[in-house]
Amino acid sequence: MAIARKGLLEILEEKQLITAEQKSQAEAALRTAPGTDPVQYLINNNLATDVDAYRAKAEAEGLHFVDLTKHKPEASALNVVPQNVVSRYNALPVRKDGPKLWVAMSNPRDINAIDDIRRASRCTQIIPLVATPADLEAEIKKAYGALAPAAASPGNPSAMVPAANAGGGAADTSKLLAELKMGNVNGGDDDGVVDEELINQAPIVRLANAIIVNAIESRASDIHIEPDKRNVRVRCRIDGVLQEVMSVPKFIQPALCSRYKIMADMNIAERRVPQDGRIPIKHNNKDYDMRVNCLPSLYGEKIVMRILDKSSVLIGLNNLGFYPEYQSVLEDMVAQPNGMFLVTGPTGSGKTTTLYSVLNKLNDIEKNITTAEDPIEYQLSGITQVGMNRKAGLTFATALRAYLRQDPDIIMVGEMRDLETAEIAIEAALTGHLVLSTLHTNDAPSATMRLADMGVEPFLISATVIGILAQRLTRKICNDCKEPYQVKATELARFGFVVEDPDQEVSLFRGRGCETCKGKGYRGRMGVYELLKMNSEIAELVVRRAPLADIKEAARANGMKELKEDGLRKILDGHTTPEEVRRVVFTAGA
């Protein structure tokens, strides 16, 4: 049996946006003037705002409402619908996810419009959205109207990216691509050499900047420019997961690639070997540093840019996802005058952010702190930071030797990569210095085995290591669309949950998907941790080269919670989901 939908006026009354008396007056007025649009009547008579009226209209018609002042269109959506189709139907594509395309429309019930948009975009599912006419008109004008001024010039290729919202920066791409095509751009000569004048054409400059702005506004950590046989795919890593944001024609590839190489101070004539560079960015009064790598591939050079937000390392340990008891133990460890504290995990697990947060807490006028980094990712005032330069002979090992003659109190080594570096770091820890560093291991107990495998004597490991932190980054459930659901307790057994009754159910949370999280159900990330505190029993096991299982058992007896256990606690507390913890914590055989 079908459930009758509530009417527009009834919805507004329930939401206490109009009174019962105003509802009755509106009903009477609409009866005496058949054909009058109820929404316009409410707005014209100041009974409801544009947003409230159209939001209620969407609900009454079983549609979704999008507030275009808060949620800007994505570049990946704008690029798949031609401007003539947008103009014809007054319809703005706002989001694309695979074959699905969400479109804000002035008439979301226009079947012909939906069919034409489906054909033009080649998306199999068009999801119409309701927006206020004023916002719709303004955003269409932004997306397909006048272009923003270029942010860089030939004489200043690394100029600051202009302040713009995600929609404004990304929205220009459709028009930019059209400009480039009309200009008969061929991308370069037969040898792949790109004309310098082409590289600095305003559309190329603005397209390169628009991609960066869109990524920053989307909170992306990385931008991937990936050449294919017929086009160039642009993807961004948002909350640890890669998402396609646009696809640009193949003819633009050489010029776009060379543009980024110029901005990163690379050699644009060299296309046979990888290159590294940096692009300083200032956007919306915030400083960013972009680490750029160019890699030759089958269909051309692939560029990956890592976006480093210089303010992110100042968020403090309190905001990294530590439970208070864990944070207290960690702070006690790094407050010791000497010893070695290690952070382990795969690339992209937040090790650097954790170490910088620790350094930021320890940094005061009474301590001499020196770092050896490859490269320097964030700049901290009051700390001597040294970037490695292998070509000049400056390695972790040579830097550490020099540091010991610089009267340091605390030394941070970017990564323990070899025996020589590890031995000097251990020597520093033995001679009264606190050493912080990272390793690539799956869990905390494995770090002791990894050092032994490098060739470090076990008795030195047990004498210097004071603590080991293993970590991963898991996506957080979006607070705007978080909802509870029930799950069988047996499904959590893998995380260490004790099941007392096979029929027992547990209440968990998940994100259903909304405008804020762009339908993903997640927004932001937090850490999942495993903290091993060295004691005499663990030290003895390390010296005896005991099996890893024995070390892990002794660590658990000393209070260590495994990654999956910390993940389970965050699942039960409603911070994340079982799927997320499973994705980042469990490896083959786990």
Side-chain angles (χ1 to χ4, degrees):
M1 177 179 167
I3 300 175
R5 289 199 183 100
K6 297 175 182 177
L8 170 67
L9 297 175
E10 187 179 358
I11 291 170
L12 289 170
E13 183 186 16
E14 281 191 358
K15 296 181 180 296
Q16 298 182 350
L17 296 172
I18 62 173
T19 64
E21 182 180 354
Q22 289 172 327
K23 175 175 176 286
S24 299
Q25 291 174 352
E27 288 173 337
L30 292 170
R31 279 196 301 270
T32 59
T36 302
D37 182 358
V39 171
Q40 285 305 314
Y41 172 84
L42 291 166
I43 295 171
N44 293 341
N45 288 275
N46 296 320
L47 295 175
T49 64
D50 290 24
V51 172
D52 289 340
Y54 279 96
R55 192 186 295 275
K57 177 184 178 180
E59 185 176 339
E61 295 184 6
L63 299 171
H64 292 286
F65 176 83
V66 58
D67 187 346
L68 294 175
T69 62
K70 297 179 180 177
H71 305 286
K72 302 299 180 180
E74 298 177 358
S76 58
L78 292 167
N79 288 335
V80 299
V81 182
Q83 182 177 359
N84 64 320
V85 177
V86 169
S87 301
R88 185 186 314 150
Y89 296 113
N90 199 30
L92 178 69
V94 294
R95 178 171 173 254
K96 183 179 182 296
D97 187 0
K100 296 181 181 180
L101 182 69
W102 284 259
V103 183
M105 304 174 66
S106 59
N107 184 5
R109 293 301 188 187
D110 188 339
I111 301 300
N112 292 330
I114 292 173
D115 285 342
D116 280 359
I117 293 170
R118 183 184 294 111
R119 282 190 292 269
S121 66
R122 298 183 180 180
C123 292
T124 57
Q125 187 175 355
I126 306 300
I127 303 171
L129 304 172
V130 176
T132 67
D135 291 345
L136 188 57
E137 181 182 351
E139 288 304 319
I140 289 176
K141 186 175 181 180
K142 281 183 186 178
Y144 299 95
L147 294 174
S153 63
N156 185 21
S158 295
M160 296 182 290
V161 171
N165 56 49
D172 292 336
T173 54
S174 297
K175 188 71 175 288
L176 291 170
L177 295 177
E179 278 191 58
L180 289 165
K181 196 167 186 177
M182 290 174 63
N184 297 318
V185 176
N186 61 18
D189 60 25
D190 293 337
D191 296 326
V193 178
V194 183
D195 186 355
E196 184 78 20
E197 183 180 351
L198 166 64
I199 296 170
N200 292 306
Q201 283 182 359
I204 282 290
V205 171
R206 294 200 299 274
L207 177 62
N209 289 336
I211 291 172
I212 293 175
V213 168
N214 180 62
I216 291 174
E217 294 286 352
S218 299
R219 302 176 298 105
S221 60
D222 302 86
I223 305 172
H224 293 238
I225 312 294
E226 303 170 322
D228 205 343
K229 187 175 182 179
R230 294 182 177 83
N231 55 24
V232 180
R233 180 172 64 175
V234 180
R235 294 193 293 172
C236 290
R237 189 177 295 278
I238 301 172
D239 292 336
V241 178
L242 278 172
Q243 301 175 22
E244 183 172 346
V245 296
M246 71 175 72
S247 178
V248 300
K250 185 71 173 178
F251 69 85
I252 291 175
Q253 175 191 328
L256 182 63
C257 178
S258 294
R259 175 62 195 167
Y260 283 129
K261 289 171 74 173
I262 287 175
M263 293 174 72
D265 198 23
M266 296 179 184
N267 181 1
I268 64 170
E270 178 58 76
R271 300 179 304 280
R272 300 165 298 174
V273 297
Q275 296 186 65
D276 291 293
R278 306 179 79 115
I279 303 175
I281 298 292
K282 190 177 185 68
H283 175 62
N284 283 350
N285 296 319
K286 287 186 68 175
D287 290 319
Y288 299 86
D289 202 12
M290 302 186 68
R291 283 169 41 191
V292 186
N293 179 265
C294 181
L295 178 70
S297 70
L298 177 62
Y299 295 113
E301 292 176 288
K302 174 180 177 179
I303 290 188
V304 174
M305 296 176 277
R306 170 156 288 187
I307 304 170
L308 302 173
D309 181 354
K310 294 186 177 182
S311 64
S312 66
V313 296
L314 305 177
I315 61 176
L317 290 171
N318 294 332
N319 299 305
L320 295 182
F322 287 103
Y323 283 110
E325 62 271 25
Y326 254 42
Q327 184 173 332
S328 176
V329 174
L330 187 154
E331 290 177 351
D332 287 344
M333 288 180 185
V334 297
Q336 297 186 34
N338 61 279
M340 187 158 62
F341 178 77
L342 301 173
V343 181
T344 78
T347 300
S349 60
K351 301 187 298 295
T352 301
T353 299
T354 299
L355 279 185
Y356 272 103
S357 297
V358 169
L359 283 179
N360 197 47
K361 181 175 180 61
L362 296 176
N363 188 15
D364 64 45
I365 196 68
E366 297 178 352
K367 294 186 178 71
N368 177 18
I369 302 176
T370 310
T371 73
E373 305 173 60
D374 186 17
I376 297 173
E377 294 192 4
Y378 302 97
Q379 298 175 12
L380 292 177
S381 177
I383 293 178
T384 303
Q385 297 174 261
V386 181
M388 300 300 97
N389 187 340
R390 291 190 183 87
K391 291 182 180 179
L394 181 58
T395 64
F396 284 121
T398 55
L400 280 173
R401 287 194 185 94
Y403 292 174
L404 294 179
R405 296 188 290 273
Q406 288 274 320
D407 185 32
D409 296 297
I410 299 170
I411 299 173
M412 188 192 90
V413 185
E415 183 182 343
M416 295 284 192
R417 293 181 177 174
D418 51 53
L419 176 60
E420 185 179 16
T421 303
E423 286 182 335
I424 300 172
I426 284 175
E427 178 185 342
L430 286 171
T431 54
H433 308 89
L434 177 65
V435 179
L436 311 175
S437 190
T438 69
L439 277 175
H440 288 280
T441 63
N442 285 333
D443 56 30
S446 297
T448 59
M449 310 289 282
R450 173 71 177 134
L451 289 172
D453 290 342
M454 283 185 184
V456 178
E457 291 294 337
F459 73 88
L460 292 176
I461 300 172
S462 65
T464 55
V465 174
I466 56 178
I468 304 167
L469 177 73
Q471 68 177 67
R472 302 288 190 276
L473 288 178
T474 179
R475 289 185 292 177
K476 295 192 294 184
I477 299 171
C478 174
N479 285 326
D480 288 357
C481 62
K482 181 188 289 188
E483 63 181 12
Y485 73 104
Q486 295 297 118
V487 66
K488 288 281 189 181
T490 51
E491 294 186 21
L492 299 178
R494 189 180 185 189
F495 301 94
F497 186 81
V498 179
V499 180
E500 299 175 353
D501 181 355
D503 297 324
Q504 179 184 355
E505 289 192 341
V506 181
S507 180
L508 303 180
F509 290 87
R510 62 188 172 195
R512 66 177 178 274
C514 66
E515 298 169 5
T516 302
C517 62
K518 298 182 178 179
K520 300 297 182 183
Y522 299 99
R523 183 173 174 83
R525 291 192 289 175
M526 71 187 309
V528 175
Y529 301 101
E530 177 179 286
L531 183 60
L532 180 152
K533 183 178 181 180
M534 187 67 74
N535 64 4
S536 57
E537 182 182 357
I538 299 173
E540 183 182 348
L541 291 171
V542 171
V543 171
R544 291 197 288 109
R545 296 180 182 268
L548 180 61
D550 292 350
I551 296 175
K552 185 176 293 188
E553 184 179 345
R556 286 179 57 83
N558 193 37
M560 183 190 81
K561 301 294 183 183
E562 294 184 45
L563 285 166
K564 64 180 181 182
E565 293 177 284
D566 190 50
L568 174 63
R569 185 173 173 185
K570 289 181 167 77
I571 291 169
L572 296 175
D573 287 347
H575 298 306
T576 189
T577 64
E579 293 77 18
E580 267 301 289
V581 174
R582 189 181 300 116
R583 179 179 69 86
V584 301
V585 169
F586 290 101
T587 55

